[in-house]
């Protein structure tokens, strides 16, 4: 088989890239290790920046997002037992974010891909990348006991943190930066109305908590747990009790509980691999960088990467110009590092760290008080939360 771009991974990065390339008349095949149901079973964050909304519209998959997504013009910060609103809209000249689950984004992209009759190879085994240091790269995989080869012009490595793409780059060509946080997020999805109509990020003596949602009838909640914690140790009741104990009295009173639809623990990590291009192999999304989920930047960074990548491919095929490809890595990484900084800062401000003790919490509270009391500090936060501009 031959295609212009072989995309490894059918997560949000790979699928969005596939749609954007298709709109630009560029042929691509997506090669995914798992089944469609497995991919759709992963519950991840759900806050879209305007840049992501615009790219989903450009890809022709924004219809359901606009109909069902919930625009949010503010968030709440809870500390010392009281909530304080950050007016995202008022502080950023009218910008907002859209609450719409990553699972739904993935579903919309999968459906659009199927409707357009585009090729996705699911359950591809032993994917390997070849010759991306030359002009005729290849991807090989096995399926139903047979080995297949796809010849292409480019390989897009959209296969996440544990994928084969970054692992195929010679170690000497790669610089990596990593920080693992000493805790995780225990998350629960439940068909109960959200405790508040805006997201609540809570700093408490018992650790961080987040109240989020998927719709008016479906909530997504998280509590910080030690990194070695096991999900089996948490009954639904134990989770609801812990969450309630981290809320202010009014929210604790309003909290509606119910059976969990999904319950899992996610580790928190900051990670960046540089550069993001190696000859004809281009990394995008979680394959190149991970942020802790505080601030929900993971999906948005992935979308911005593939936005730049699709544009660079268009310049290559349309104008025979490689200059956008040459700039791809630098352009992405400038945005990536700013989101890494924001996610690290917001994590550091809201979580309970095992080593910092009582003075750590006092310092966090002082910074939170300054943040909600200073228009300059609130504006800096709001600008980052709604998403930085998509630079040229
Ligand atoms: N071969 C083929 N596919 C692979 C391989 C492989 N060796 N390894 C991984 N994959 C697939 C995974 O099964 C997954 O479907 O690549 C896909 C990568 O998807 P994600 O991990 O969702 O990464 P990405 O598309 O970059 O999405 C970024 O999703 O992971 C969240 O927090 C992240 O929100 C961010 C966004
Ligand atoms: C979520 O809804 O899952 C979510 C929202 C905001 C975050 C992280 C996760 O910062």
């Amino acid at each position: 088989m031959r295609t212009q771009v072989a995309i490894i991974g059918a997560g949000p990065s790979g699928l969005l890239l596939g749609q954007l390339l298709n709109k630009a008349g560029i042929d691509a095949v997506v090669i995914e290790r798992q089944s469609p149901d497995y991919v759709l079973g992963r519950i991840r964050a759900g806050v879209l920046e305007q840049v992501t909304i615009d790219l989903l519209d450009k890809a022709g998959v924004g219809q359901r997002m606009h109909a069902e997504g919930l625009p949010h013009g503010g968030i709440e910060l809870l500390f010392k037992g009281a909530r304080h609103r950050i007016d995202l809209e008022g502080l950023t000249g009218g910008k907002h974010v859209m609450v719409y689950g990553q699972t739904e984004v993935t579903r919309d992209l999968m459906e659009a891909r199927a409707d357009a009759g585009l090729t996705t190879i699911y359950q591809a085994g032993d994917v390997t990348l070849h010759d991306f240091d030359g002009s005729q790269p290849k991807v090989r995989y096995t399926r139903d006991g047979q080995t297949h080869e796809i010849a292409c012009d480019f390989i897009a490595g959209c296969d996440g943190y544990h994928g084969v793409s970054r692992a195929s780059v010679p170690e000497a060509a790669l610089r990596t930066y990593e920080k693992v946080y000493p805790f995780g997020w225990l998350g629960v999805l439940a068909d109960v109305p959200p405790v508040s109509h805006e997201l609540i990020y809570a700093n408490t003596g018992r650790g961080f908590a987040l109240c989020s949602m998927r719709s008016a009838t479906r909530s997504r909640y998280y509590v910080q747990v030690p990194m070695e914690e096991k999900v089996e140790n948490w009954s639904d009741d134990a989770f609801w009790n812990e969450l309630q104990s981290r809320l202010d009295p009014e929210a604790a009173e309003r909290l509606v509980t119910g059976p969990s639809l999904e319950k899992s623990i996610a580790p928190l990590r900051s990670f960046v691999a540089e550069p993001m291009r190696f000859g004809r192999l281009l990394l995008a999304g979680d394959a190149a960088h991970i942020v802790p989920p505080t601030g929900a930047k993971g999906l948005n960074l992935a979308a911005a990467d593939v936005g730049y990548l699709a544009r660079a491919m268009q310049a290559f095929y349309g104008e025979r110009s490689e200059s956008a490809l040459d700039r791809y890595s630098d352009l992405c990484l400038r945005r990536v590092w700013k989101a890494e900084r924001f996610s690290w800062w917001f994590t550091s401000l809201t979580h309970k760290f095992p080593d910092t003790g009582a003075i750590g919490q006092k310092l966090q509270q002082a910074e939170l008080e300054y943040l909600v009391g200073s228009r300059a500090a609130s504006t800096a936060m709001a600008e980052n939360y709604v998403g930085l501009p998509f630079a040229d």
Side-chain angles (χ1 to χ4, degrees):
M1 196 193 296
R2 203 199 130 71
T3 187
Q4 288 174 302
V5 184
I7 302 173
I8 320 285
S13 305
L15 291 172
L16 179 56
L17 178 62
Q19 279 324 103
L20 291 170
L21 292 180
N22 181 246
K23 291 279 172 202
I26 300 167
D27 184 50
V29 171
V30 176
I31 304 127
E32 163 64 49
R33 183 165 58 178
Q34 306 288 356
S35 67
D37 283 347
Y38 184 97
V39 171
L40 281 175
R42 290 191 289 237
I43 309 290
R44 299 250 172 89
V47 179
L48 309 183
E49 297 175 0
Q50 191 62 47
V51 166
T52 307
I53 297 170
D54 292 345
L55 283 166
L56 291 168
D57 281 335
K58 195 170 173 192
V61 296
Q63 211 179 346
R64 202 161 66 91
M65 167 186 70
H66 287 292
E68 297 176 17
L70 308 169
H72 279 211
I75 55 168
E76 293 193 290
L77 299 177
L78 164 55
F79 59 95
K80 287 171 84 177
R83 277 186 269 154
H84 305 263
R85 184 168 191 266
I86 300 285
D87 179 7
L88 298 174
E89 214 151 15
L91 292 163
T92 60
K95 293 191 183 155
H96 62 263
V97 292
M98 179 85 92
V99 172
Y100 187 64
Q102 180 171 320
T103 314
E104 304 311 315
V105 172
T106 308
R107 192 191 308 279
D108 295 344
L109 285 162
M110 271 185 181
E111 278 174 13
R113 193 163 176 83
D115 289 349
L118 303 171
T119 311
T120 312
I121 299 152
Y122 284 101
Q123 292 172 305
D126 307 319
V127 175
T128 52
L129 285 60
H130 305 270
D131 305 332
F132 51 81
D133 49 354
S135 60
Q136 295 174 307
K138 290 163 203 73
V139 174
R140 292 196 193 112
Y141 64 94
T142 57
R143 198 160 199 277
D144 303 327
Q146 285 195 321
T147 301
H148 303 266
E149 183 175 285
I150 302 177
C152 54
D153 302 329
F154 294 98
I155 302 174
C158 300
D159 48 352
Y161 181 70
H162 299 287
V164 64
S165 299
R166 193 182 70 251
S168 306
V169 174
E171 226 169 275
L174 209 59
R175 284 182 308 280
T176 59
Y177 304 85
E178 184 168 36
K179 178 178 177 67
V180 178
Y181 298 83
F183 39 72
W185 280 15
L186 169 64
V188 156
L189 186 70
D191 272 334
V192 292
V195 65
S196 172
H197 62 282
E198 292 186 331
L199 271 61
I200 304 175
Y201 289 89
N203 168 305
T204 84
R206 298 182 66 87
F208 171 80
L210 169 59
C211 303
S212 182
M213 66 198 72
R214 293 291 175 270
S215 70
T217 56
R218 182 169 285 190
S219 299
R220 179 68 167 162
Y221 294 119
Y222 301 94
V223 294
Q224 174 187 349
V225 292
M227 75 187 304
E228 61 280 0
E229 190 61 80
K230 297 269 176 284
V231 71
E232 304 80 71
N233 296 338
W234 286 84
S235 65
D236 286 359
D237 278 350
F239 175 84
W240 292 118
N241 286 336
E242 188 56 43
L243 176 65
Q244 198 162 33
S245 75
R246 298 186 190 189
L247 299 180
D248 57 287
E250 193 213 329
E253 170 83 31
R254 282 175 55 94
L255 182 69
V256 182
T257 65
S260 61
L261 302 171
E262 193 263 3
K263 197 192 293 158
S264 55
I265 296 182
L268 269 71
R269 182 192 300 272
S270 299
F271 172 84
V272 181
E274 293 185 340
M276 287 171 61
R277 178 189 176 191
F278 309 88
R280 293 289 184 107
L281 167 64
L282 300 112
L283 302 180
D286 277 21
H289 42 75
I290 299 281
V291 285
T294 332
K297 292 293 168 216
L299 173 60
N300 292 297
L301 275 186
D305 288 352
V306 300
Y308 289 133
L309 186 45
R311 218 170 54 179
M313 298 277 168
Q314 239 175 307
F316 177 83
Y317 287 108
E319 300 144 36
R320 290 280 143 196
S321 163
E322 289 208 34
S323 72
L325 277 170
D326 291 340
R327 286 192 306 138
Y328 170 73
S329 179
D330 280 351
L331 208 50
C332 289
L333 284 166
R334 258 187 274 158
R335 189 179 179 82
V336 165
W337 276 112
K338 288 185 187 120
E340 290 283 348
R341 186 215 61 88
F342 176 69
S343 308
W344 158 81
W345 168 80
F346 199 19
T347 303
S348 309
L349 186 62
T350 49
H351 288 66
K352 183 173 177 170
F353 284 74
D355 305 336
T356 52
I359 189 171
Q361 202 191 6
K362 285 284 189 188
L363 291 168
Q364 286 178 335
Q365 289 171 350
E367 184 167 357
L368 283 160
E369 256 162 25
Y370 171 64
L371 175 62
V372 300
S374 154
R375 192 175 170 89
S378 301
T379 304
M381 173 178 199
E383 277 178 0
N384 281 278
Y385 195 90
V386 301
L388 297 173
F390 195 55
D392 286 318

